Amino acid sequence: MKKSVFYILILFGCLQSCKEDQSTKTLYLAHNMPQTHSVHKGILEFQKALRLKSEGKLDVKIFPDGQLGSEREVLELLQIGSVAITKVSAATLSNFVPEYHVFGIPYLFENKQHQFDVLEGDVGKSILEKGSQFWLRGLCYYDAGSRSFYTSKKAIRTPEDLKGLKIRVMNNQMAINMVNSMGGSATPLAFGELYTAMQQGVVDGAENNPPSFVSSNHYEVSKYYTIDQHSSVPDVLLIGTKFWDKLSKQEKKWVLEAAEVSAKAQKVFWNASVEESMSIAKAAGVEIIIPEKSLFQERSKSVLENFIKVHPEMQPIINSIKKQ
Ligand code: GCU
């Protein structure tokens, strides 16, 4: 969406987080993924479950594809109460709620089981609630797999190959430090601007999970995909407290239950879409490179050390994650 339109919408309050008629409250939900992505399918399950549980008293209107702006812009719309719900990456969210930064630490989780034990356990739940201080209450986590590098002209086989390459990252300090620590030149850019930036050579590559790589068509402009799996930043479904606080106890319960249903469903959609995306990328001629991961891990160790220096208050969370 054009920035000017976005600000005009805010200014004149044309968007409302919720439309009420006598019998139904409609929650506005915006996200930046295409409709073929497992996130959108998970959100459809949220909509279905909420309608069912509330017997039509709560409904959801979905704005996908970044129609209402980038992740950052939509988070701001939640904070002022113009949009009720969104799904963003924990990396974007960490610019608003600092505790989410920890999920972007390179090679933090041992495997998916460890990751979801953490996310669905005490650490994950307390971080979801921390967001309320910033008007952004977390509802649940969605699987966003692991992120890996993709490039247009030159294959990345070892961290040395990143030297001199402009790699698009999310607007997030941890991601910037990680790419720079491995030798690349991190270039923050909104997801919606990346296809053209890759096509025009503004950046030489990017990093993401297979379903996002394929559903955004980035594979059309990238010849190489290097599965180094440097980070496993989850996605988060969240609700603005401006909206949440107006819900009755019963309505809150329906929203939380519907979020749980959608989180379970999204994981199933996710697993299927990882395999499917890899096949699509291969069939399109993308070279899939399986590198020596430990080389990338070694180079990115300084990211955690520097993070702790800047944020010593995050050490207990990191300890709990490692102990889990
Ligand atoms: C993932 C994530 C998105 C995020 C995107 C990005 O696809 O699920 O929420 O916007 O990465 O790289 O910007």
Side-chain angles (χ1 to χ4, degrees):
M1 184 168 65
K2 291 235 167 56
K3 280 234 154 52
S4 50
V5 180
F6 172 75
Y7 289 117
I8 289 167
L9 281 173
I10 293 182
L11 204 62
F12 294 104
C14 293
L15 288 172
Q16 305 161 288
S17 53
C18 148
K19 199 176 94 217
E20 273 179 64
D21 61 30
Q22 266 143 2
S23 52
T24 307
K25 279 187 195 167
T26 304
L27 288 68
Y28 288 180
L29 186 160
H31 70 84
N32 73 343
M33 289 284 118
Q35 296 176 50
T36 48
H37 196 281
S38 65
V39 157
H40 185 77
K41 294 181 187 164
I43 283 170
L44 290 177
E45 294 299 314
F46 174 74
Q47 181 187 50
K48 198 159 90 188
L50 195 58
R51 281 177 182 158
L52 252 162
K53 284 176 191 293
S54 70
E55 291 172 347
K57 293 187 187 76
L58 293 182
D59 199 3
V60 183
K61 180 159 172 52
I62 307 171
F63 299 87
D65 293 310
Q67 283 170 23
L68 298 190
S70 66
E71 292 195 334
R72 177 171 192 100
E73 288 167 338
V74 173
L75 284 170
E76 287 166 1
L77 292 177
L78 254 72
Q79 286 184 313
I80 61 171
S82 295
V83 168
I85 299 189
T86 189
K87 185 300 300 175
V88 295
S89 169
T92 314
L93 195 48
S94 63
N95 296 322
F96 295 74
V97 186
E99 281 75 8
Y100 284 103
H101 272 303
V102 296
F103 297 140
I105 294 170
Y107 298 102
L108 174 71
F109 299 111
E110 281 158 33
N111 49 40
K112 196 175 285 285
Q113 181 69 45
H114 178 214
Q115 183 188 18
F116 275 89
D117 285 349
V118 168
L119 296 178
E120 287 165 2
D122 293 344
V123 172
K125 283 186 196 153
S126 77
I127 295 181
L128 288 180
E129 274 167 28
K130 272 261 151 64
S132 299
Q133 300 169 32
F134 306 95
W135 305 280
L136 300 166
R137 187 195 194 285
L139 291 172
C140 65
Y141 294 96
Y142 281 170
D143 198 347
S146 299
R147 301 178 72 97
S148 293
F149 291 113
Y150 48 90
T151 40
S152 51
K153 293 190 196 88
K154 183 182 156 197
I156 309 294
R157 298 181 198 278
T158 69
E160 279 68 43
D161 294 324
L162 281 161
K163 203 162 174 223
L165 295 192
K166 277 194 179 170
I167 303 292
R168 177 271 173 179
V169 289
M170 289 185 277
N171 192 357
N172 167 263
Q173 198 56 48
M174 189 78 80
I176 294 173
N177 295 348
M178 184 194 62
V179 167
N180 291 342
S181 75
M182 291 182 184
S185 176
T187 311
L189 204 66
F191 188 63
E193 290 166 31
L194 181 52
Y195 185 97
T196 315
M198 294 267 308
Q199 198 177 35
Q200 296 180 347
V202 176
V203 292
D204 304 299
E207 44 87 56
N208 219 320
N209 52 57
S212 298
F213 175 53
V214 168
S215 63
S216 58
N217 297 328
H218 293 166
Y219 73 103
E220 293 173 359
V221 285
S222 314
K223 286 203 196 122
Y224 309 98
Y225 194 19
T226 305
I227 312 299
D228 66 306
Q229 301 183 311
H230 46 251
S231 63
S232 302
V233 194
D235 278 349
V236 188
L237 187 72
L238 57 145
I239 186 162
T241 56
K242 285 259 161 69
F243 183 78
W244 175 255
D245 292 344
K246 283 191 220 138
L247 294 178
S248 70
K249 217 170 151 193
Q250 178 60 72
E251 288 169 334
K252 285 180 179 164
K253 193 163 170 272
W254 287 328
V255 170
L256 289 172
E257 285 171 0
E260 210 179 307
V261 169
S262 81
K264 278 206 186 101
Q266 190 271 340
K267 276 193 206 158
V268 177
F269 296 135
W270 176 264
N271 290 334
S273 72
V274 171
E275 279 181 36
E276 196 191 321
S277 312
M278 291 303 282
S279 319
I280 294 175
K282 273 187 213 157
V286 174
E287 184 186 343
I288 310 290
I289 297 147
I290 310 291
E292 181 55 69
K293 260 201 235 176
S294 60
L295 299 175
F296 293 85
Q297 196 165 0
E298 198 50 44
R299 289 287 286 264
S300 59
K301 271 191 176 148
S302 60
V303 176
L304 174 57
E305 291 156 14
N306 295 335
F307 177 69
I308 298 291
K309 277 186 207 145
V310 183
H311 291 286
E313 75 284 4
M314 300 284 173
Q315 184 74 68
I317 304 180
I318 296 166
N319 292 346
S320 316
I321 294 177
K322 297 214 157 156
K323 261 194 251 142
Q324 179 112 29

